[in-house]
Amino acid sequence: MTLSLVSHRPLHPVVMSLILALWLSTLGNAPLWLTLLGLPESHNPRAWLGIAGFGVVVLAFTVAFLCLVVWPWWRKPVGLVLLLVAAFNSYFMYTYGVVIDTSMLANAVQTDAREVRDLLSWSMLAAVMLGVGLPGWWWWKQPVQQTPARPLLARQIGLAVVATLVMLVMVWLSFQDLASTMRNHRSLRYMINPFNTVYATMRLVVGNTAHASQLVQPIGADATLLGSASDVDTSPLIVLVVGETARAANVGLAGYARDTTPRLKQLQDSGELVYFSKVTSCGTNTQVSLPCMFSDLGRDGYGKTEARFENLLDVLQRAGMAVLWLDNQSGCKGLCDRVPHADTRELKDPSLCPEGECFDEEMLRVLPEHLNQLEPVRRAHGTVVVMHQMGSHGPAYYKRTPPEFKVFTPECHSNVLQECSDQEIVNAYDNSVRYTDHFLGQTVAWLKSQKRPTALVYVSDHGESLGEKGLYLHGMPYAMAPKEQTSVPMAVWFSAPMLNHLGWDKSCWLGQASQPVTHDNLFSSMLSLAHVQTRLYKRQLDVFSACQPGQRKVQAITGLPSASEHAAKRLNTTVEADPKPSHG
């Protein structure tokens, strides 16, 4: 039967493009049309006419696009690529409720082999075969007429012009309905295949090209340590744990019905730990949030520039401290390029790294060894360690937890979340949060065993959707992201020697739990905690600023601009970059 689909008579190239356009704009955009039909305002005859008009717009735009880019020299390969892109996009949009924008594409580009394995499934294979196999086979096998270049050029450009005019007329006729729908449901604009990927790719390539062509500009040239120790045994050790995909809604300390954080709760009850209950992330995926939270520019400033700047780790190292990055994820996104760093992907611990993927405790196991490799002179001034978790990375949440920590059952043991019940998905996710609690508790126990002043700061990079409103995973454009993807947990623990070292009032910092916090606060708060003085420090963004006894040890510079003013001033100032920043 399938053989009859291929005509032995060659088809005109324009007819080929029309058939491909019809496939891409209908079945290739199935998630878009299903979403439109599922909107509450679509349940009336006028809405159906509006959807039909929008369908004509998408078809006309697709025809114009194909007529301009699909030419004899690369017709077959380009058609297959477009079919493949549409199939993959449709699968992820339908399965996880995500949309395809620049940040989502950038996050996909940065995905490592472990994360790719978590996304592979038989349902993905079936979707690709349906979306690419049959139409792709037809596209490749169907004979095409050999048409002279000039007539073909005239016909394709002419058809592109006609299609564009049809599109403009339909937009004009249905502008009111289209504008209202797009304004109320902005995610729809990121669901139009394959133009979402084409647009995102163009922006990503242009942005990355501009970004790569620039030298990393140094910041914090004036950074100095105040009251630093002169001995490794008495110098402070600060561990910053960057969580992955942990959302505040499922954290026991945040009032969640389940006890997902028993060890942190014990520390909170003993007055050693404060949990910040109103924390907002810088982005909805690691690619954006991780560099942003270590930047001094804040979310607004970071999002407005393609320039490359150093980050918090560089400033701490420039001040004389020892800095170490340990990674159990897909990399540091360039943050750790100029400081000592290591990751767990090269380790083969049989107990903590089954099947080539390590649980987060592996970072704690190797931490002492890597600390001993840091320069003694710097360690004598203080040490900051960043541990980047695998945390609750999905969709294979069940892989994030050792067997003995699977408290909530039954779990979802599939990376196709629709194959599991809502409760099974939540169980698997909650187990990963509970294991993070164990990991943090073990880290605190290790820090308590040290003679030196120690502290732990934990904050997640972004949250996660677990099926609310049909959304799964993360990465929605920030302006339309649900709070599950932007509301994240944050906790701080201090040892008694650290409190003495800082000279902070304990009752004060325990009282900071209810203040609103964002990732913008991390940069200045870490400077304050590390006793690093620099003009980059902004007192209004330091969550600990109210707890200094008398005059601040980290002096606030008078007349500091707001975060947005500071970012604007920085971005309008040309800084001569040091192509080889010192590692000390």
Side-chain angles (χ1 to χ4, degrees), residues 101-165:
D101 67 342
T102 306
S103 63
M104 177 65 75
L105 188 63
N107 206 43
V109 170
Q110 294 290 330
T111 298
D112 63 12
R114 294 179 298 177
E115 295 175 357
V116 171
R117 286 198 304 268
D118 287 347
L119 294 171
L120 298 177
S121 65
W122 290 110
S123 59
M124 176 189 287
L125 178 62
V128 172
M129 289 302 297
L130 289 173
V132 182
L134 181 59
W137 175 84
W138 176 87
W139 177 260
W140 194 262
K141 290 291 185 179
Q142 176 61 48
V144 185
Q145 289 181 12
Q146 298 299 317
T147 307
R150 286 189 177 181
L152 179 60
L153 176 65
R155 288 191 180 186
Q156 291 200 188
I157 292 180
L159 182 56
V161 171
V162 171
T164 301
L165 291 175

Side-chain angles (χ1 to χ4, degrees), residues 150-195:
R150 286 189 177 181
L152 179 60
L153 176 65
R155 288 191 180 186
Q156 291 200 188
I157 292 180
L159 182 56
V161 171
V162 171
T164 301
L165 291 175
V166 170
M167 179 184 67
L168 293 175
V169 170
M170 289 305 302
V171 169
W172 179 70
L173 291 175
S174 57
F175 177 78
Q176 184 175 352
D177 291 333
L178 280 177
S180 176
T181 301
M182 290 297 180
R183 184 169 55 249
N184 294 331
H185 306 281
R186 287 180 289 179
S187 62
L188 293 173
R189 68 188 70 176
Y190 301 104
M191 297 182 68
I192 305 174
N193 272 328
F195 308 109

Side-chain angles (χ1 to χ4, degrees), residues 107 110 240-244 281-295 302 311-313 325-327 329-336 386-389 459-462 519 522:
N107 206 43
Q110 294 290 330
L240 170 60
V241 176
V242 178
E244 168 62 29
S281 68
C282 189
T284 62
N285 59 60
T286 305
Q287 178 68 20
V288 173
S289 267
L290 194 60
C292 180
M293 64 198 294
F294 282 80
S295 169
Y302 179 80
N311 59 79
L312 172 66
L313 304 183
W325 180 287
L326 293 179
D327 205 287
Q329 238 240 63
S330 58
C332 66
K333 315 304 180 189
L335 293 172
C336 62
V386 181
M387 293 199 288
H388 186 202
Q389 282 188 276
V459 60
S460 182
D461 60 349
H462 56 79
H519 279 165
L522 184 66

Side-chain angles (χ1 to χ4, degrees), residues 30-46:
L32 171 66
W33 306 126
L34 291 173
T35 300
L36 274 170
L37 292 172
L39 297 178
E41 56 266 43
S42 297
H43 300 162
N44 61 77
R46 176 173 175 174

Side-chain angles (χ1 to χ4, degrees), residues 278-345:
K278 301 175 182 177
V279 185
T280 306
S281 68
C282 189
T284 62
N285 59 60
T286 305
Q287 178 68 20
V288 173
S289 267
L290 194 60
C292 180
M293 64 198 294
F294 282 80
S295 169
D296 67 310
L297 297 175
R299 191 175 77 85
D300 291 339
Y302 179 80
K304 292 178 181 177
T305 180
E306 296 294 339
R308 301 174 66 189
F309 294 101
E310 291 180 342
N311 59 79
L312 172 66
L313 304 183
D314 298 291
V315 176
L316 296 172
Q317 183 169 257
R318 182 164 288 118
M321 301 188 76
V323 180
L324 172 65
W325 180 287
L326 293 179
D327 205 287
N328 192 34
Q329 238 240 63
S330 58
C332 66
K333 315 304 180 189
L335 293 172
C336 62
D337 288 352
R338 295 165 296 279
V339 303
H341 56 274
D343 63 59
T344 62
R345 282 174 286 189

Side-chain angles (χ1 to χ4, degrees), residues 216-507:
V216 178
Q217 299 184 24
I219 63 173
D222 61 334
T224 56
L225 280 168
L226 295 178
S228 61
S230 58
D231 183 83
V232 173
D233 292 333
T234 59
S235 64
L237 169 60
I238 304 167
V239 174
L240 170 60
V241 176
V242 178
E244 168 62 29
T245 321
R247 68 183 206 172
N250 290 54
V251 174
L253 289 180
Y256 185 47
R258 283 178 161 176
D259 187 13
T260 55
T261 51
R263 297 193 64 169
L264 295 184
K265 185 65 167 62
Q266 290 179 353
L267 294 170
Q268 184 186 52
D269 291 342
S270 65
E272 301 175 66
L273 178 140
V274 59
Y275 178 80
F276 292 83
S277 57
K278 301 175 182 177
V279 185
T280 306
S281 68
C282 189
T284 62
N285 59 60
T286 305
Q287 178 68 20
V288 173
S289 267
L290 194 60
C292 180
M293 64 198 294
F294 282 80
S295 169
D296 67 310
L297 297 175
R299 191 175 77 85
D300 291 339
Y302 179 80
K304 292 178 181 177
T305 180
E306 296 294 339
R308 301 174 66 189
F309 294 101
E310 291 180 342
N311 59 79
L312 172 66
L313 304 183
D314 298 291
V315 176
L316 296 172
Q317 183 169 257
R318 182 164 288 118
M321 301 188 76
V323 180
L324 172 65
W325 180 287
L326 293 179
D327 205 287
N328 192 34
Q329 238 240 63
S330 58
C332 66
K333 315 304 180 189
L335 293 172
C336 62
D337 288 352
R338 295 165 296 279
V339 303
H341 56 274
D343 63 59
T344 62
R345 282 174 286 189
E346 300 174 358
L347 303 177
K348 294 181 171 64
D349 185 329
S351 61
L352 291 174
C353 302
E355 301 179 4
E357 180 176 313
C358 294
F359 295 115
D360 288 325
E361 283 180 276
E362 181 68 7
M363 292 188 290
L364 187 58
R365 186 187 71 82
V366 301
L367 176 57
E369 174 188 350
H370 286 285
L371 284 177
N372 289 333
Q373 295 174 3
L374 299 176
E375 297 178 53
V377 174
R378 288 187 174 276
R379 292 177 60 202
H381 294 153
T383 304
V384 174
V385 177
V386 181
M387 293 199 288
H388 186 202
Q389 282 188 276
M390 180 58 85
S392 300
H393 196 287
Y397 306 118
Y398 68 96
K399 290 186 177 181
R400 311 286 93 91
T401 312
E404 62 270 25
F405 290 95
K406 296 187 181 299
V407 178
F408 307 108
T409 56
E411 266 192 331
C412 175
H413 281 266
S414 172
N415 52 7
V416 182
L417 299 180
Q418 282 80 355
E419 294 179 355
C420 302
S421 68
D422 292 343
Q423 192 58 58
E424 288 173 335
I425 296 170
V426 172
N427 287 346
Y429 183 85
D430 285 352
N431 284 333
S432 71
V433 176
R434 183 139 178 159
Y435 178 64
T436 289
D437 170 77
H438 168 77
F439 168 66
L440 295 175
Q442 290 293 93
T443 304
V444 168
W446 181 83
L447 289 172
K448 284 183 175 182
S449 70
Q450 308 301 302
K451 298 178 181 179
R452 60 199 298 192
T454 55
L456 171 78
V457 178
Y458 165 73
V459 60
S460 182
D461 60 349
H462 56 79
E464 185 88 328
S465 289
L466 297 177
E468 299 86 3
K469 300 178 181 178
L471 297 178
Y472 294 90
L473 305 182
H474 52 267
M476 288 291 290
Y478 199 89
M480 62 187 73
K483 65 179 181 179
E484 288 84 6
Q485 295 188 24
T486 58
S487 182
V488 296
M490 176 177 171
V492 179
W493 170 87
F494 295 130
S495 68
M498 176 61 89
L499 286 176
N500 292 332
H501 170 78
L502 295 169
W504 290 359
D505 179 71
K506 181 177 180 179
S507 61

